[in-house]
Amino acid sequence: MKSIIQFDGVFKTYQQGEVKVHALKDADFQIYEGEFVIIFGASGAGKSTILNILGGIDRPTSGRVVVDGDDISQLSEHELTNFRKEKVGFVFQFYNLIANLTALENVAFASDGLADVFMPSDILGQVGLADKQHHFPSQLSGGEQQRVAIARAVAKRPKFLLCDEPTGALDTVAGITVLNLLEKLNRQDRCTVVLITHNPDLLPMADKVVHVQDGEVREVSLNESRKAMKEMELS
Amino acid sequence: MKVLSKKFFRQIRQAKLQFFALVAIVAIGTFFSTGLTAISGSLSSYIEPYYQEYNLSDAIVYFDALPAEAVQSFLQIEGVKRAEVRQVLEMSVSQSEHSAKLLVHTIPLHNEINRSALVEGREPGAGEVLIDSFFAEANQLKVGDTIQLVHQKSEWNLMISGLCENVEHSFNIEDASMVLPDRETFGVAYLAEESLGQAVYNQLLIELEAGFALSDVLPQIEATAVKYPYQYVIPKESMSSYQAIRTTIDNNKVLSFVVPLILFTISSIIILISLSRLVDSQRSQIGIMKALGVSRKTILYHYMLYPITSTFFGSGAGLGLAYFLFVPMLDDIGRRTYSLPGYQVSLSLHSVFLPLLISLLFGCIACYISTRRILKQNTMELMKPKSVKSAHRLALEKVPQLWSRLNFTYKLLLRDMSINKWKLLAGSLGVMACVILMVTALGFRASMQQMMQRTKDMYSYDLLIHSEAELVEEVLQDQVAEISFLTKLNLQLTDYEKTRFEFLVLDPSTSHFRHFDEDHHSVVLRDDGLILPQSFAKRHDISPGQEIRAVLIQEDGTAQELRLHVAQLSAQYTAPKIFASQEYLRKSIGEIAPNGMTVRIIQGDIASIKEELLDRPEALSVSTSEDVQLRISNLIKQNNPVFSIFILVAIVLSFGAIYTVSTINIQEQMRDLAIMKVLGYSRKEIYRLLFNQNFLITTIAIFCALPFCVLSYGQVVDALRASGQMIPDQLHGLTFIGGAGITVLITVITNQLLKLPIRQIDMAESIKQFE
């Protein structure tokens, strides 16, 4: 399998007032194309820092982050913007849809100007929202909004999906629907998914789990027998 | 409360420019309010005691001639307290460089009405004259100097015994067409009756008993007056000086209330929006404060610091600017405009406190409205995240062909604006006020330049000489390129308050004078009647084709009653004259020999030729076309500070409104902007979203402001017209474009300043904040 993401000795230090906060310390891991990876850790462990650096939202203080052959820590502001636009699909805990755009427009907005993208209405159909594509976010439930967010992330055919606690704000049923969708995208469409969570119940569904604690990658474990969502009992 | 105050000042530090913009708007309101109140306040508190002390006449009755003993018959009318007769004549000052004139009044014996306020020197005795101090200053005359006055070939050599001002000439203009007095060319003088020799009284001053109005006694006055060669009565209220000062007081009183009211309303809307946004972003903090037992009142007082501080700083700055900049300027304008001894514009306590109170009241109401809703919510609700404002479909979406073609940034923009109408209104109001101020100022300036250009177009001679032809030939010799003879007379229009005009009879083929109507279409001098000044015709409802009664006054003083035909009207913006062709003069009056000429010279310094001519005793008067232009040029110069203030205020207002609303926009849309960045939208695209929003606000404001610009400019022109001055009343497209262009430029500059807060948006932090 081809390596798509490589974290190589990554450090991230924030200056908060007069205090230096070491959010990441010498983080190393690798993700291969088509993998379903969970970055697991407690609150404040450094998961979101990894996601922000991976997604080109933040830059590492030192170290290399190679994504699809490019060291994104060396990219210019403009190149980083293009990287986010073309290669990354984001799914956030609180959906982060644009309130003044309908579901369809939210999806189209993210892939506007890109070639070879999915039709927004098709992708909304795939996430089960064909009949609600003209609804504004405020007219949708949390689960539906998250499905729109997934459709928005997938529509541009990204190299990988970055999902930050995508079920964190949802009830169990809606959470399961969202996870099913992510699993389907990974298994059927071979889309690389990187999911951040603090919920240990989700770990069996991943090919690989990156354990993060106090800003350090403590362990990278592989699931020999990854479980399908239908086999898992989530509460 | 102390801790909350600290928190408040830290908040201000975080949004310095926004707070500064708000302070600037309050400062402008205070600046205008205190300045304009200072004019009306100072003038009204000065003028009434001044009128009383020097006893301004309640009416003046004009006669051709009135015997001194006639006074007794007027004194017998019930309600008339005093009556005094005098002779008033217009005389030329022979040694003046500027063809200056003095309106000379004889001082009645036991003078009680319209007494002069002595500025320097003493009352005049025989062979002495009292002249107005501003005329003396402009002509470098001083007490003890002798001046030669000329009237109808009679001359008087009089010594200046003193300098004065008089209540009846507190706004001392030669004719109603003038915007400001020209003190070099026109003044007033008072002398003892015996100095003139035989006085022929032509004016009767009337003072009424307390409790009587002129309307009560007017029928008896007129009944008595008709026994003599009576002309007309001018009540105090119609006298140009009294009227001009009353209009200034009244207009400024209204403006000093209306202008700040508009500005404070704008600042209140901005406070309302800023505070609503601030309070909204701090809802969880308010929840925590309430949970900790801080009372609603204390929280409200904490937010009240916002309007209180902005009012305090804004009023302070406005007051300082008014005191150090506006008041000295108004004082200077007051001195140039009015002849009032010892008059000074000063700030009163009332003028300081009124804007402060209005601003504070408006600001506190805005603060109360913006915090009331959130303070009423229960603590638990406040600590939960706020639900997103519901978006809704726009009418435009019903036209899918159009909507689908729109770029996403425009869709976002239009939906956001439809949700935040108040914000749009606040921004637009500020920009509208800016466009109105800008267009009015530029329009007035363009009018002045237009007046200048029209005057240049009208008078294309080099010298206008009132003298014998031989003298001109002798002095100018081979320097004359073109000469055109004319007859210069005086015409008094019988039915129009006996207004006097200079009457120029020209050769129709002369190119030295050209005539234009208001639209700058050429008006050709015809042989079938007069060309009358348009402003005068409009004021008195005279139209071409009409016949008017007039008295022609020749140089020797002989008067001839005539009926003249008005053929055409011409726009004349300064020193209006009546024109006729030599053929028309011949037909309606008979042969009158030319008494002057206009000359174009080949080469040489016109000013030195003028001086050379003036040195010759045979030359009665010499003027250049530049003299007329100079009047307008002076007027433009005098008005320059006013234009600059208007434009500066407009710029600050526009910047304040756009910047404040935009920064609030950025804060409110922080999450959306961060998401756009995360989704790979470049900074340029994000700038475009906000800039388009500002351009849309500016465009809407410009279009909405257009009718108000016309209205505002119309008001200015009407106010000037009411006092008889003629100003071009059309706003040209270029003026609109200029005003709109500057406003757009301010928007562009504001947009550039907004790049920094957009650049500073931290994607990760912004998203985390909302989560």
Side-chain angles (χ1 to χ4, degrees):
Chain A
M1 268 200 295
K2 184 185 163 194
S3 164
I4 190 165
I5 294 166
Q6 192 183 334
F7 248 58
D8 199 356
V10 175
F11 285 82
K12 179 70 191 177
T13 308
Y14 295 105
Q15 189 76 39
Q16 279 188 346
E18 289 172 18
V19 183
K20 273 189 178 172
V21 178
H22 301 287
L24 272 186
K25 289 174 261 182
D26 198 15
D28 285 306
F29 63 88
Q30 223 170 359
I31 296 172
Y32 294 98
E33 198 166 16
E35 272 187 330
F36 194 114
V37 178
I38 288 181
I39 297 177
F40 175 75
S43 182
K47 307 185 298 288
S48 293
T49 309
I50 292 177
L51 179 125
N52 291 342
I53 292 173
L54 257 183
I57 293 177
D58 206 350
R59 287 174 188 276
T61 310
S62 64
R64 271 161 39 93
V65 181
V66 181
V67 178
D68 201 24
D70 295 320
D71 182 357
I72 61 166
S73 61
Q74 301 300 317
L75 295 183
S76 68
E77 188 64 43
H78 178 69
E79 288 167 331
L80 213 51
T81 301
N82 283 341
F83 164 75
R84 288 196 302 272
K85 175 104 186 166
E86 290 161 10
K87 295 188 175 172
V88 195
F90 286 97
V91 179
F92 297 100
Q93 183 179 0
F94 289 98
Y95 339 122
N96 282 327
L97 297 176
I98 292 179
N100 287 342
L101 294 179
T102 61
L104 186 74
E105 286 165 351
N106 261 291
V107 176
F109 182 61
S111 49
D112 190 35
L114 293 176
D116 190 29
V117 296
F118 288 114
M119 282 291 287
S121 52
D122 289 352
I123 204 85
L124 275 171
Q126 281 185 39
V127 298
L129 290 171
D131 55 336
K132 293 193 171 173
Q133 51 183 306
H134 296 300
H135 284 47
F136 286 103
S138 58
Q139 297 164 323
L140 299 171
S141 69
E144 287 169 334
Q145 286 191 56
Q146 195 59 299
R147 279 190 275 158
V148 176
I150 293 170
R152 177 178 71 179
V154 170
K156 58 175 152 181
R157 296 182 195 268
K159 283 281 171 191
F160 57 97
L161 276 186
L162 286 179
C163 311
D164 189 2
E165 302 272 13
T167 57
L170 302 177
D171 59 39
T172 315
V173 178
I176 290 171
T177 311
V178 165
L179 290 173
N180 271 325
L181 201 56
L182 292 174
E183 186 188 50
K184 188 180 148 215
L185 284 166
N186 176 252
R187 285 190 192 270
Q188 286 182 10
D189 303 329
R190 300 305 301 151
C191 180
T192 310
V193 177
V194 180
L195 188 146
I196 282 177
T197 187
H198 65 276
N199 184 357
D201 292 348
L202 303 184
L203 299 186
M205 70 181 292
D207 291 310
K208 185 187 280 174
V209 179
V210 179
H211 296 264
V212 188
Q213 196 182 344
D214 298 329
E216 288 174 29
V217 175
R218 291 287 164 94
E219 186 192 351
V220 178
S221 60
L222 297 174
N223 273 339
E224 293 299 324
S225 51
R226 176 184 161 189
K227 274 191 179 177
M229 271 299 293
K230 59 184 176 190
E231 299 170 69
M232 291 168 59
E233 282 183 18
L234 294 173
S235 54
Chain B
M1 193 66 202
K2 208 173 163 185
V3 178
L4 284 181
S5 307
K6 273 189 195 168
K7 174 179 168 283
F8 166 77
F9 285 110
R10 280 182 196 139
Q11 276 161 14
I12 287 186
R13 205 172 52 189
Q14 280 166 1
K16 284 186 286 274
L17 263 177
Q18 192 181 322
F19 185 74
F20 171 76
L22 192 65
V23 166
I25 295 173
V26 176
I28 292 168
T30 311
F31 175 78
F32 268 117
S33 174
T34 42
L36 297 172
T37 313
I39 307 179
S40 55
S42 307
L43 207 51
S44 63
S45 62
Y46 174 93
I47 207 75
E48 283 310 324
Y50 179 56
Y51 283 158
Q52 286 214 336
E53 188 180 350
Y54 294 96
N55 202 15
L56 179 68
S57 61
D58 291 304
I60 300 178
V61 192
Y62 288 76
F63 295 91
D64 288 335
L66 182 73
E69 56 276 17
V71 174
Q72 284 309 316
S73 51
F74 286 96
L75 283 171
Q76 280 161 13
I77 299 168
E78 195 193 347
V80 174
K81 186 179 174 187
R82 286 195 186 98
E84 293 176 2
V85 284
R86 68 180 182 184
Q87 184 175 12
V88 179
L89 294 170
E90 198 177 83
M91 296 189 181
S92 358
V93 183
S94 63
Q95 69 267 54
S96 162
E97 281 179 22
H98 318 283
S99 314
K101 287 176 196 159
L102 276 173
L103 195 65
V104 179
H105 309 65
T106 61
I107 305 171
L109 285 174
H110 315 297
N111 177 216
E112 289 293 338
I113 311 172
N114 290 356
R115 285 187 298 111
S116 295
L118 214 56
V119 176
E120 195 187 330
R122 55 176 168 75
E123 293 289 341
E128 292 179 337
V129 68
L130 198 59
I131 63 169
D132 83 69
S133 60
F134 290 102
F135 179 83
E137 191 187 328
N139 288 281
Q140 286 111 40
L141 294 169
K142 53 186 189 302
V143 177
D145 286 354
T146 300
I147 54 168
Q148 188 180 59
L149 301 180
V150 182
H151 178 71
Q152 292 175 1
K153 293 189 175 166
S154 305
E155 289 175 9
W156 291 269
N157 287 306
L158 301 163
M159 194 192 83
I160 301 169
S161 71
L163 307 179
C164 73
E165 295 311 329
N166 195 290
V167 273
E168 62 180 320
H169 295 293
S170 35
F171 179 56
N172 196 16
I173 48 168
E174 184 181 354
D175 64 63
S177 71
M178 297 186 65
V179 183
L180 287 172
D182 184 349
R183 281 154 174 167
E184 278 187 351
T185 61
F186 186 73
V188 292
Y190 290 82
L191 42 71
E193 282 181 8
E194 58 265 37
S195 298
L196 282 186
Q198 184 65 45
V200 180
Y201 303 121
N202 56 5
Q203 286 187 7
L204 177 81
L205 307 176
I206 300 271
E207 183 192 347
L208 298 177
E209 294 276 8
F212 278 86
L214 185 67
S215 54
D216 302 332
V217 294
L218 191 62
Q220 292 101 300
I221 290 176
E222 284 185 322
T224 313
V226 288
K227 294 174 192 159
Y228 308 97
Y230 158 70
Q231 293 182 349
Y232 49 90
V233 180
I234 295 199
K236 178 170 75 178
E237 292 73 17
S238 303
M239 292 174 196
S240 61
S241 283
Y242 185 89
Q243 222 176 26
I245 289 179
R246 277 272 41 112
T247 310
T248 306
I249 292 172
D250 294 343
N251 285 352
N252 283 306
K253 212 176 255 177
V254 174
L255 281 176
S256 66
F257 184 71
V258 173
V259 173
L261 198 70
I262 294 170
L263 292 165
F264 291 144
T265 307
I266 295 170
S267 74
S268 310
I269 296 174
I270 293 176
I271 288 180
L272 184 75
I273 294 169
S274 312
L275 271 183
S276 301
R277 147 75 214 141
L278 186 74
V279 169
D280 226 35
S281 70
Q282 295 183 351
R283 47 184 288 124
S284 63
Q285 283 186 34
I286 295 172
I288 294 166
M289 281 194 262
K290 285 178 85 173
L292 291 172
V294 181
S295 73
R296 268 196 223 172
K297 247 188 210 167
T298 311
I299 302 171
L300 178 66
Y301 288 155
H302 155 64
Y303 287 107
M304 281 285 180
L305 282 173
Y306 201 77
I308 292 170
T309 322
S310 58
T311 298
F312 177 75
F313 284 116
S315 301
L319 196 64
L321 283 173
Y323 185 77
F324 290 108
L325 194 76
F326 209 19
V327 169
M329 199 175 82
L330 293 172
D331 206 35
D332 186 48
I333 292 174
R335 269 179 56 79
R336 288 174 206 265
T337 312
Y338 306 112
S339 300
L340 301 169
Y343 168 68
Q344 263 192 326
V345 179
S346 56
L347 290 180
S348 64
L349 267 184
H350 158 80
S351 69
V352 173
F353 280 109
L354 187 73
L356 196 91
L357 285 178
I358 298 180
S359 167
L360 202 60
L361 183 73
F362 277 36
C364 288
I365 291 173
C367 176
Y368 177 72
I369 294 170
S370 54
T371 49
R372 187 190 51 172
R373 189 179 44 84
I374 282 188
L375 286 177
K376 272 187 180 169
Q377 285 180 17
N378 75 42
T379 312
M380 274 314 290
E381 263 176 64
L382 288 171
M383 289 165 78
K384 275 192 229 162
K386 192 192 165 197
S387 56
V388 181
K389 231 181 193 178
S390 308
H392 55 84
R393 294 191 172 278
L394 307 173
L396 193 65
E397 292 180 51
K398 288 179 183 154
V399 192
Q401 293 89 342
L402 190 65
W403 184 252
S404 61
R405 279 167 196 268
L406 280 181
N407 183 300
F408 281 110
T409 51
Y410 284 105
K411 287 181 181 173
L412 266 174
L413 177 69
L414 292 172
R415 288 214 183 108
D416 182 59
M417 287 176 116
S418 82
I419 294 172
N420 298 302
K421 292 181 195 76
W422 271 102
K423 217 167 52 187
L424 180 69
L425 181 74
S428 301
L429 270 178
V431 183
M432 263 176 77
C434 159
V435 179
I436 296 168
L437 281 173
M438 199 86 79
V439 170
T440 307
L442 291 178
F444 196 65
R445 200 186 171 90
S447 292
M448 293 286 157
Q449 272 152 359
Q450 196 181 336
M451 279 164 69
M452 175 70 100
Q453 188 51 50
R454 296 272 169 95
T455 310
K456 277 186 187 165
D457 293 345
M458 237 184 117
Y459 304 111
S460 54
Y461 56 80
D462 290 326
L463 292 157
L464 170 62
I465 306 161
H466 188 38
S467 178
E468 303 294 328
E470 295 76 32
L471 169 75
V472 177
E473 279 166 20
E474 187 191 322
V475 174
L476 297 178
Q477 294 170 359
D478 55 349
Q479 284 174 301
V480 175
E482 230 181 276
I483 192 159
S484 177
F485 291 97
L486 55 83
T487 313
K488 190 175 158 194
L489 301 163
N490 279 312
L491 207 58
Q492 184 175 282
L493 304 185
T494 316
D495 300 320
Y496 306 103
E497 294 164 4
K498 302 215 168 176
T499 313
R500 269 191 186 209
F501 278 101
E502 201 171 274
F503 181 36
L504 290 184
V505 183
L506 310 173
D507 175 358
S509 64
T510 183
S511 61
H512 296 183
F513 289 93
R514 291 171 67 205
H515 314 278
F516 301 95
D517 65 11
E518 257 184 322
D519 302 322
H520 206 51
H521 296 132
S522 185
V523 173
V524 179
L525 190 63
R526 302 196 312 232
D527 293 337
D528 61 343
L530 310 173
I531 293 182
L532 216 60
Q534 197 157 22
S535 54
F536 182 81
K538 262 193 183 172
R539 194 146 47 101
H540 294 283
D541 225 6
I542 305 170
S543 42
Q546 206 172 314
E547 204 165 73
I548 53 170
R549 291 195 305 145
V551 175
L552 183 79
I553 301 152
Q554 298 205 28
E555 277 186 296
D556 56 5
T558 54
Q560 186 179 354
E561 281 196 30
L562 300 167
R563 278 184 178 275
L564 298 168
H565 180 251
V566 178
Q568 294 163 102
L569 306 177
S570 75
Q572 300 175 45
Y573 300 112
T574 187
K577 296 173 177 64
I578 294 176
F579 297 94
S581 72
Q582 287 163 344
E583 179 56 29
Y584 181 68
L585 185 74
R586 215 176 350 262
K587 278 198 292 194
S588 52
I589 305 165
E591 202 69 47
I592 297 179
N595 57 9
M597 68 218 72
T598 46
V599 179
R600 254 193 221 146
I601 58 167
I602 297 171
Q603 56 185 14
D605 177 20
I606 297 170
S608 58
I609 296 173
K610 181 184 164 187
E611 267 179 42
E612 199 180 334
L613 280 165
L614 277 170
D615 284 342
R616 305 290 290 259
E618 312 94 290
L620 294 175
S621 71
V622 182
S623 62
T624 68
S625 56
E626 279 173 10
D627 292 341
V628 190
Q629 290 160 24
L630 200 67
R631 271 189 182 182
I632 301 175
S633 164
N634 284 338
L635 189 67
I636 295 175
K637 266 188 216 155
Q638 282 164 8
N639 280 300
N640 268 344
V642 181
F643 295 135
S644 310
I645 282 188
F646 259 69
I647 287 170
L648 190 74
V649 162
I651 289 171
V652 174
L653 192 62
S654 180
F655 170 76
I658 298 176
Y659 188 82
T660 313
V661 171
S662 301
T663 44
I664 292 167
N665 260 344
I666 293 174
Q667 287 159 356
E668 279 190 346
Q669 296 177 11
M670 191 73 93
R671 178 175 153 276
D672 284 357
L673 299 177
I675 295 169
M676 281 178 76
K677 276 182 118 174
V678 169
L679 291 178
Y681 276 81
S682 66
R683 266 191 215 152
K684 266 189 192 166
E685 287 165 307
I686 296 169
Y687 290 153
R688 202 183 304 145
L689 173 71
L690 282 159
F691 294 178
N692 283 345
Q693 190 159 333
N694 288 343
F695 283 126
L696 203 63
I697 288 177
T698 305
T699 312
I700 292 170
I702 287 172
F703 281 104
C704 292
L706 289 185
F708 294 102
C709 291
V710 176
L711 207 71
S712 157
Y713 182 71
Q715 288 291 315
V716 172
V717 173
D718 277 352
L720 292 169
R721 275 222 181 118
S723 55
Q725 297 138 20
M726 185 161 186
I727 305 278
D729 62 353
Q730 285 162 342
L731 271 177
H732 290 280
L734 270 177
T735 308
F736 281 120
I737 294 169
I742 297 174
T743 314
V744 171
L745 187 70
I746 298 165
T747 312
V748 171
I749 295 169
T750 316
N751 282 346
Q752 294 306 311
L753 285 173
L754 288 169
K755 280 185 174 176
L756 185 68
I758 298 174
R759 251 201 315 265
Q760 284 172 340
I761 295 175
D762 182 319
M763 289 176 276
E765 277 302 309
S766 302
I767 288 174
K768 207 159 71 184
Q769 249 177 31
F770 288 94
E771 289 183 358

